[in-house]
Amino acid sequence: MTASWKTFQLSERAANLPASATLALAAKAGALRAEGKPVVNMTVGEPDFATPQNIVDAAFRAVAEGATRYTPTAGTPALRQAVADLCSKCHGINLEPENVVVTPGGKFALFSACQALLNPGDEVLIPAPYWVSYPRAVELAGGVARAIPTSIGQHYLLTAKELEANLTHKVKLLILNSPSNPTGAGYGRKGLEKLAEVLAAHPQVRVLWDDIYRRLVYDHFEYVSPATVSDLAERCLFLDGVSKTYAMTGWRIGWAIGPKEVIAAMTRIQGHATSNAAAVSQAAALEALTGPQDSVDHMLLEFTRRRSLIMKLFGGIRGVRFVPPDGAFYLFCDVSAILDEQGGTDEELADRILHEALVAAVPGTPFGAPGHLRFSFATSDENIEEAARRLKKMLGTASH
Ligand code: PMP
Ligand code: GLU
């Protein structure tokens, strides 16, 4: 007998909340594969490598040694110290463990930062294209997410002029992600300095700086820490994690770095929401940060090769334009020429590509950028080659 329930009235908050498009489309591609359809899945941003063996071994050891209980809410002292040490070095600032809260994934750091900082009606500026979860985390905290559209011509980076035009006294937070999901674009020093100059006249604005792709940058691009830019440094709350850099998406470890009172508030929220990140995962993350780093170099080399491959092959598909990514593992394609010719939306095109070419991508609309498709190249060369073959067959070959 199937269970039966009375109707439950959902909160407006939940009823109006769309699913995460990245996760939903990955699930859809997975379901089609389970039905036996040979779908090439380029949806989710998740390294296809196994977690490095030294990290897995450390987790086994930790469990054997008793890492099976609650940890302190903000994380184990060893991991907080390791994060503080690592981030002190990379940002050139002096961090203490009290500046760090370890969270169950970077996503929860985003969520609790919004809970800690936003009052109902507070505005948050988010340059679009943006990662799908930013506006939702803002709205779940009662904030108002205001997207600032950017274009391919400016490499999808926010300009000082656009920032200036969108700042009001209600704006409390600006979210920046460099290199970016979904575009791969990263801010250079000049760009950040110009944004900082604008912010100088708006002392109430803080910056949530998403560093999750900080280590995944390509040769031509130099990562610039906002902590080295005056008028930006003192305003940043950083979020990061081990998911992307160490192929540890399933372990769910992230963190936030910021002033002690904000970290303490996020810790209080976490104390009621999740208690702490999983003890075994924290032990694994400690090994990731303090153990050998050669696997990171190896993965980055692989991503570098795949980046060249996808740019070469996807550059040959008719109607597809993109900016070479500075970092992360996404090719964000402007497909407006295809839509102009064939009609329909990016979401419909993604659906057609999924069913006709058996290639799964995420449409631009949930990233706040209609007219685009995002392809993750955190997948094998064979998959990239096969996807390009199928897309050329369906959409045609570029004439240049
Ligand atoms: N920020 C961005 C831009 C991301 O793409 C992701 C990917 N999920 C995250 C944060 C959070 O990742 P996680 O929760 O796995 O740490
Ligand atoms: N951030 C990754 C992506 O954009 C993983 C899925 C998610 O958390 O959104 O595909």
Side-chain angles (χ1 to χ4, degrees), residues 86-140:
L86 177 87
C87 297
S88 295
K89 226 185 269 159
C90 107
H91 293 298
I93 43 181
N94 246 335
L95 295 164
E96 295 173 41
E98 293 75 21
N99 296 115
V100 178
V101 55
V102 174
T103 55
K107 198 176 273 187
F108 194 77
L110 164 70
F111 182 86
S112 70
C114 291
Q115 294 290 328
L117 296 178
L118 300 177
N119 282 318
D122 283 345
E123 291 187 0
V124 179
L125 297 182
I126 310 176
Y130 46 70
W131 178 41
V132 295
S133 290
Y134 292 151
R136 305 293 90 88
V138 167
E139 287 157 7
L140 284 171

Side-chain angles (χ1 to χ4, degrees), residues 52-320:
Q53 195 58 42
N54 62 309
I55 298 173
V56 174
D57 291 344
F60 273 103
R61 274 197 311 276
V63 171
E65 288 162 13
T68 54
R69 296 172 177 262
Y70 294 133
T71 72
T73 308
T76 61
L79 183 55
R80 289 176 87 192
Q81 184 70 58
V83 171
D85 292 347
L86 177 87
C87 297
S88 295
K89 226 185 269 159
C90 107
H91 293 298
I93 43 181
N94 246 335
L95 295 164
E96 295 173 41
E98 293 75 21
N99 296 115
V100 178
V101 55
V102 174
T103 55
K107 198 176 273 187
F108 194 77
L110 164 70
F111 182 86
S112 70
C114 291
Q115 294 290 328
L117 296 178
L118 300 177
N119 282 318
D122 283 345
E123 291 187 0
V124 179
L125 297 182
I126 310 176
Y130 46 70
W131 178 41
V132 295
S133 290
Y134 292 151
R136 305 293 90 88
V138 167
E139 287 157 7
L140 284 171
V144 178
R146 279 189 36 221
I148 310 179
T150 65
S151 68
I152 189 168
Q154 65 200 80
H155 288 204
Y156 304 108
L157 293 169
L158 178 67
T159 63
K161 214 167 156 190
E162 289 159 342
L163 176 62
E164 176 95 76
N166 282 279
L167 278 167
T168 66
H169 68 280
K170 284 193 184 156
V171 174
K172 187 147 187 205
L173 205 58
L174 164 68
I175 302 185
L176 293 176
N177 176 212
S178 175
S180 142
N181 176 5
T183 68
Y187 286 91
R189 181 164 300 282
K190 275 226 174 73
L192 286 182
E193 280 171 357
K194 285 193 177 145
L195 295 180
E197 273 168 35
V198 173
L199 289 178
H202 298 269
Q204 88 284 7
V205 179
R206 300 289 171 268
V207 175
L208 184 57
W209 180 272
D210 185 341
D211 242 352
I212 203 105
Y213 298 103
R214 175 177 64 81
R215 298 276 297 277
L216 295 176
V217 296
Y218 301 107
D219 277 349
H220 67 282
F221 179 76
E222 197 184 333
Y223 169 85
V224 179
S225 164
T228 62
V229 177
S230 61
D231 261 325
L232 205 50
E234 308 79 22
R235 298 173 190 252
C236 285
L237 180 68
F238 295 87
L239 82 86
D240 198 350
V242 292
S243 284
K244 317 287 172 172
T245 309
Y246 298 96
M248 290 180 71
T249 45
W251 298 80
R252 310 306 304 128
I253 294 290
W255 56 81
I257 296 167
K260 291 179 186 175
E261 62 281 9
V262 178
I263 296 301
M266 290 174 68
T267 304
R268 293 197 298 278
I269 289 165
Q270 181 153 297
H272 290 290
T274 72
S275 297
N276 54 263
V280 59
S281 297
Q282 292 190 58
L286 179 63
E287 170 65 19
L289 298 189
T290 57
Q293 300 294 301
D294 45 327
S295 49
V296 178
D297 300 336
H298 167 74
M299 289 190 272
L300 185 56
L301 266 180
E302 282 287 312
F303 287 134
T304 304
R305 220 202 43 257
R306 294 169 183 186
R307 170 183 176 274
S308 303
L309 181 67
I310 196 171
M311 288 200 302
K312 184 174 113 211
L313 297 179
F314 277 49
I317 302 168
R318 186 152 174 263
V320 166

